[in-house]
């Protein structure tokens, strides 16, 4: 019983490395395909990272040769004549809370895509703020191959990031694209040699962790809200957010550090 519990808990790794929370999808024999306990543990880990004032950046990656193969397709097998599975409930209860939490996280979230990302695994990566990928990684919106449509934010994030023409082709065909292609299309920030991925991802997360949490939070929120705003509404939002930023201590510290030719020491995480 205790061993089963330990095995379950090991499905998601959580470690604090300085100011960074490292979260690892850890079911390598199934390319980190999501089973129910993984959803629950990933949500818990993300909440822990959000609520820990020591954590100033989050780094998400996968163990083994895959990043995440999406939903575990063997966990609940659909049948033509048996009772219908409610995939809407799966999304509402398991996937959507994770995507919402990452998007609303008031700290930067870096994703290091270490290998294949398929289905919800791709869209989990796209929900993060900065995505690095190993040069051997591939991305597959695999949903149409099994009669589904992209979820976990895929129909929103993908066209917003790479445009409707490319998003439709990827979603309708369900074919893989290389990390290089993903980088060329602006779907990820950049590719890194396989052997250097985690060092570079850690360096990036550490750099972000030294930045202003006020800036990070407001930048994320402003960019997310821009999707639904007119230019005029966005100008109003920038006015309000910049007012807030200007009145927080990090602005004074940033300017003082600039004029004093020293590195800034930004304030603690806001709650
Ligand atoms: O609840 C719901 O269903 C709604 C939510 C849906 C969200 C989704 O994510 S739907 C999309 C689900 N994902 C897929 O359709 C991808 C399925 N996997 C693949 O197409 C391939 O495995 C890959 C292209 C990702 C990788 O191919 P390859 O050749 O590198 O590896 P492999 O041999 O296929 O996989 C290695 C092992 O992982 C293998 O297990 P085994 O035979 O060695 O015991 C394979 O079965 C397992 N695996 C890979 N993906 C999944 C999986 N097992 C369960 N579910 C998976 N999604």
């Amino acid at each position: 019983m205790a061993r089963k519990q330990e095995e379950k808990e090991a499905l998601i790794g959580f470690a604090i490395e300085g100011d960074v929370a490292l979260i690892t999808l850890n079911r390598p024999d199934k390319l980190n395909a999501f089973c129910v306990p993984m959803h629950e543990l990933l949500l818990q880990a993300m909440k822990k990272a959000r609520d820990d004032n020591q954590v100033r950046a989050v780094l998400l990656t996968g163990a083994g040769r895959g990043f995440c193969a999406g939903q575990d397709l063997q966990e609940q097998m659909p049948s033509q004549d048996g009772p219908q599975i409610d995939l809407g409930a799966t999304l509402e209860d398991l996937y959507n809370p994770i995507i919402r939490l990452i998007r609303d996280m008031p700290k930067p979230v870096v994703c290091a895509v270490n290998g294949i990302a398929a289905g919800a695994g791709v869209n989990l990566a796209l929900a993060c703020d900065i995505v690095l990928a190993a040069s051997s990684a591939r991305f597959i919106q695999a949903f149409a191959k099994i009669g589904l449509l992209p979820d976990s934010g895929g129909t929103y994030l993908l066209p917003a990031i790479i445009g409707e023409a490319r998003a439709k082709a990827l979603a309708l065909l369900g074919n893989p694209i290389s990390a290089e292609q993903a980088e060329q299309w602006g779907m990820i920030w950049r590719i890194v040699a396989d052997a250097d991925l985690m060092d570079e991802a850690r360096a990036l997360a550490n750099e972000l962790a030294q930045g202003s949490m006020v800036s990070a939070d407001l930048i994320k929120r402003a960019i997310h809200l821009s999707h639904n705003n007119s230019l005029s509404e966005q100008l109003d939002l920038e006015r309000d957010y910049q007012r807030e930023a200007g009145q927080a201590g990090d602005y004074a510290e940033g300017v003082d550090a600039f004029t004093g030719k020293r590195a800034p020491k930004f304030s603690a995480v806001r709650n």
Side-chain angles (χ1 to χ4, degrees), residues 180-271:
E180 198 176 9
Q181 183 73 86
E183 187 193 56
Q184 275 170 17
W185 285 357
M187 198 170 127
I188 60 168
W189 170 233
R190 64 187 179 83
I191 49 175
V192 177
D194 286 19
D196 300 333
L197 179 70
M198 287 314 291
D199 283 350
E200 296 234 6
R202 281 188 167 93
L204 177 61
N206 275 316
E207 184 181 340
L208 290 163
Q210 303 320 306
S212 161
M213 294 294 107
V214 176
S215 280
D217 179 26
L218 293 173
I219 287 168
K220 283 182 68 163
R221 281 200 270 148
I223 290 179
H224 295 166
L225 289 167
S226 73
H227 294 303
N228 298 323
N229 278 347
S230 64
L231 173 61
S232 183
E233 287 165 333
Q234 195 68 10
L235 289 171
D236 288 346
L237 178 147
E238 288 174 0
R239 174 201 60 208
D240 295 343
Y241 281 19
Q242 203 68 301
R243 179 175 292 134
E244 190 181 333
Q247 287 167 0
D250 281 0
Y251 172 52
E253 167 61 11
V255 174
D256 191 62
F258 174 76
T259 48
K261 298 189 187 305
R262 62 175 175 85
K265 272 195 170 171
F266 288 119
S267 59
V269 169
R270 301 189 299 173
N271 275 317

Side-chain angles (χ1 to χ4, degrees), residues 8-257:
K8 183 186 140 182
E9 280 167 13
L11 289 167
I12 296 291
F14 184 88
I16 302 283
E17 297 183 350
D19 300 322
V20 175
L22 172 65
I23 300 178
T24 309
L25 309 175
N26 189 26
R27 200 184 174 212
D29 54 324
K30 297 290 174 193
L31 303 178
N32 303 319
F34 269 108
C35 53
V36 170
M38 272 176 83
H39 289 108
E40 289 163 356
L41 291 163
L42 179 57
L43 191 66
Q44 274 174 29
M46 285 288 172
K47 281 186 179 163
K48 217 159 130 184
R50 179 195 61 193
D51 297 340
D52 185 338
N53 286 348
Q54 190 194 330
V55 171
R56 297 174 67 93
V58 181
L59 172 54
L60 175 68
T61 192
R65 75 175 176 92
F67 170 67
C68 175
Q71 171 62 32
D72 183 329
L73 296 176
Q74 285 152 355
E75 191 171 51
Q76 45 173 5
M77 303 286 277
S79 105
Q80 304 247 333
D81 21 67
Q84 300 291 305
I85 296 170
D86 182 356
L87 296 185
T90 309
L91 293 182
E92 185 59 22
D93 298 342
L94 302 176
Y95 285 93
N96 293 353
I98 295 170
I99 301 300
R100 288 194 174 107
L101 185 53
I102 293 174
R103 293 288 281 183
D104 293 343
M105 177 88 65
K107 313 171 179 184
V109 183
V110 174
C111 183
V113 180
N114 51 298
I116 189 104
V122 184
N123 300 330
L124 174 67
L126 297 185
C128 299
D129 300 312
I130 303 186
V131 184
L132 297 180
S135 51
S136 65
R138 285 176 297 148
F139 297 84
I140 316 178
Q141 292 285 346
F143 304 87
K145 297 277 191 209
I146 52 168
L148 298 180
L149 73 154
D151 58 28
S152 305
T155 60
Y156 178 91
L157 296 167
L158 199 62
I161 295 170
I162 61 172
E164 191 172 311
R166 287 166 174 162
K168 277 187 182 157
L170 288 190
L172 288 167
L173 295 167
N175 290 333
I177 61 164
S178 64
E180 198 176 9
Q181 183 73 86
E183 187 193 56
Q184 275 170 17
W185 285 357
M187 198 170 127
I188 60 168
W189 170 233
R190 64 187 179 83
I191 49 175
V192 177
D194 286 19
D196 300 333
L197 179 70
M198 287 314 291
D199 283 350
E200 296 234 6
R202 281 188 167 93
L204 177 61
N206 275 316
E207 184 181 340
L208 290 163
Q210 303 320 306
S212 161
M213 294 294 107
V214 176
S215 280
D217 179 26
L218 293 173
I219 287 168
K220 283 182 68 163
R221 281 200 270 148
I223 290 179
H224 295 166
L225 289 167
S226 73
H227 294 303
N228 298 323
N229 278 347
S230 64
L231 173 61
S232 183
E233 287 165 333
Q234 195 68 10
L235 289 171
D236 288 346
L237 178 147
E238 288 174 0
R239 174 201 60 208
D240 295 343
Y241 281 19
Q242 203 68 301
R243 179 175 292 134
E244 190 181 333
Q247 287 167 0
D250 281 0
Y251 172 52
E253 167 61 11
V255 174
D256 191 62

